[in-house]
Amino acid sequence: MHISNGIINGPVAGVFAALALAALTFCVLRGRRDLDDRLAPMAGLVAAFIFAVQMLNFPIFTAGVSGHLLGGALAALLVGPWVGALCVAVVLVVQALVFGDGGVAMLGLNITNMALLGTAAAYLLIAGLLRVLPRTPIGLSVTAFVSALVSVVAASQGFVFEYWLGGTTDLGGNLAGLAGTMAGAHLLIGVGEGLITATTVATVAKVRPDLVYALRALKPAAPAPVPAVGGVR
Amino acid sequence: MRTRTWGFVAVGLLVALLLAGVVSNYASSQPDGLDSALLKGCTVDPEGEITGGSCPAQQEKAHEVGGPLADYGVAGIDNDFLSTALSGVLGVLLTFAVGGGAFWLLRRRDPAGSGDAGEAARDDRQPAGTAG
């Protein structure tokens, strides 16, 4: 979902670059509270893992369209929303500067959609779902799947909003068409994102539940008689 | 505790290297959801080049940097599999170095903090040779 140069005009890209920089600075300030000797290497791994899986474009069963993981929900579940957004941003910066993926001038837009919007939408859902769903592997997997799916659709609509502000082609008032096309494709890509996120998080929770940020940070709403997914460390 | 976390990170990194270095060669080369939405209205040949029509993707401009690893390949390596594999491996290592390095420098180090910071501080006070 990386925007290439020339798709959104310069002034709008510049405004979003400033917005993204401000938001990432805030993430650094809040994320430092979470970053300890255990979370820091884990966050490095999450960034590297997202880079790897973003290379794996999968077909989405509509002719000629593929999608890849964005990683916002995965990062939010494993290292929290603040550090998670920074993880996705690191991936996007490396991709833009070294791999020619997404224009450097478009970096603020891409960070806004995938790192900020995607992670924020995911974490809001994670925080809600983990409090009401049972603390079982299935409860965690459902949380991961739903939050990942919604985060991808949210990110795709972030692009539609940006295109409305500064798209370089006059769609002749057919912005709704673009919104529909983007939402439809990304609903299917979101299913892939959901499956990858749920599988990965369930695996980590099985091996090392203490390394799943969301399980540490979010306590169940009611005094749960059921033990946490992996028990305590 | 910290040794176990680093062990987990090492295994995870190995998985990421396999995904980026091997599995990436089986990835779909079709345009992604955003690119295909921007191609609506244009006709495209099998190589992905626009052959006619009118669509937002025609406004696309060249990338500023490019570089030897542009488009997930290594310039100068003709073997597609090797080129993708090597660029993926380099990307994973680079992302881990940049991300992991930055997060490690940013981490909390106040011994008064709760949880792991306190635990880490206690670990550090143990005499050499008895830790772990």
Side-chain angles (χ1 to χ4, degrees):
Chain A
M1 200 198 278
H2 299 59
I3 303 169
S4 300
N5 281 333
I7 300 299
I8 308 273
N9 69 38
V12 169
V15 168
F16 275 89
L19 279 176
L21 194 64
L24 290 180
T25 307
F26 186 70
C27 287
V28 168
L29 297 175
R30 288 295 303 266
R32 280 203 75 185
R33 294 185 202 166
D34 294 334
L35 271 174
D36 54 26
D37 284 7
R38 178 173 54 176
L39 200 84
M42 189 62 189
L45 171 62
V46 166
F49 188 83
I50 290 174
F51 177 92
V53 183
Q54 283 208 358
M55 284 182 76
L56 311 179
N57 280 60
F58 48 82
I60 57 167
F61 309 111
T62 64
V65 183
S66 74
H68 62 70
L69 181 90
L70 303 185
L74 179 64
L77 280 159
L78 292 179
V79 295
W82 314 108
V83 177
L86 294 172
C87 286
V88 182
V90 164
V91 172
L92 295 172
V93 169
V94 169
Q95 287 170 331
L97 293 181
V98 183
F99 291 88
D101 194 7
V104 178
M106 304 289 127
L107 204 42
L109 301 157
N110 284 323
I111 287 176
T112 301
N113 296 341
M114 292 184 264
L116 301 172
L117 259 177
T119 309
Y123 199 73
L124 286 174
L125 272 166
I126 292 164
L129 288 173
L130 269 189
R131 285 197 174 91
V132 294
L133 290 176
R135 287 293 173 117
T136 58
I138 290 178
L140 181 65
S141 297
V142 169
T143 300
F145 181 86
V146 173
S147 63
L149 193 156
V150 173
S151 76
V152 174
V153 177
S156 83
Q157 296 308 302
F159 168 74
V160 175
F161 177 67
E162 291 157 0
Y163 206 85
W164 175 66
L165 289 175
T168 48
T169 298
D170 185 5
L171 295 175
N174 194 19
L175 193 79
L178 179 67
T181 308
M182 284 294 285
H186 288 89
L187 204 64
L188 294 171
I189 295 171
V191 172
E193 174 108 10
L195 293 174
I196 296 171
T197 304
T199 309
T200 308
V201 173
T203 306
V204 178
K206 197 174 171 193
V207 186
R208 288 290 304 273
D210 61 302
L211 290 180
V212 181
Y213 176 97
L215 292 179
R216 293 199 302 272
L218 300 163
K219 300 286 172 256
V226 197
V229 167
V232 281
R233 207 156 41 96
Chain B
M1 186 279 295
R2 277 183 293 167
T3 319
R4 283 183 58 214
T5 298
W6 283 105
F8 179 89
V9 169
V11 173
L13 211 50
L14 204 65
V15 174
L17 287 170
L18 281 173
L19 292 174
V22 182
V23 185
S24 60
N25 270 287
Y26 304 97
S28 165
S29 53
Q30 301 286 356
D32 71 10
L34 187 146
D35 288 331
S36 73
L38 295 179
L39 282 168
K40 223 173 182 183
C42 283
T43 49
V44 178
D45 70 12
E47 270 80 55
E49 299 299 322
I50 294 169
T51 51
S54 150
C55 60
Q58 286 163 320
Q59 297 299 319
E60 192 174 319
K61 295 193 173 60
H63 195 271
E64 301 95 328
V65 186
L69 295 176
D71 298 324
Y72 303 92
V74 183
I77 296 186
D78 292 333
N79 183 318
D80 280 350
F81 193 102
L82 208 63
S83 179
T84 305
L86 201 55
S87 80
V89 166
L90 288 172
V92 166
L93 295 177
L94 181 66
T95 307
F96 183 73
V98 171
F103 292 128
W104 188 250
L105 291 174
L106 281 171
R107 79 193 191 283
R108 256 185 313 113
R109 269 161 289 191
D110 50 326
S114 59
D116 286 294
E119 239 174 86
R122 279 195 302 280
D123 286 347
D124 292 344
R125 278 200 297 274
Q126 284 181 343
T130 59

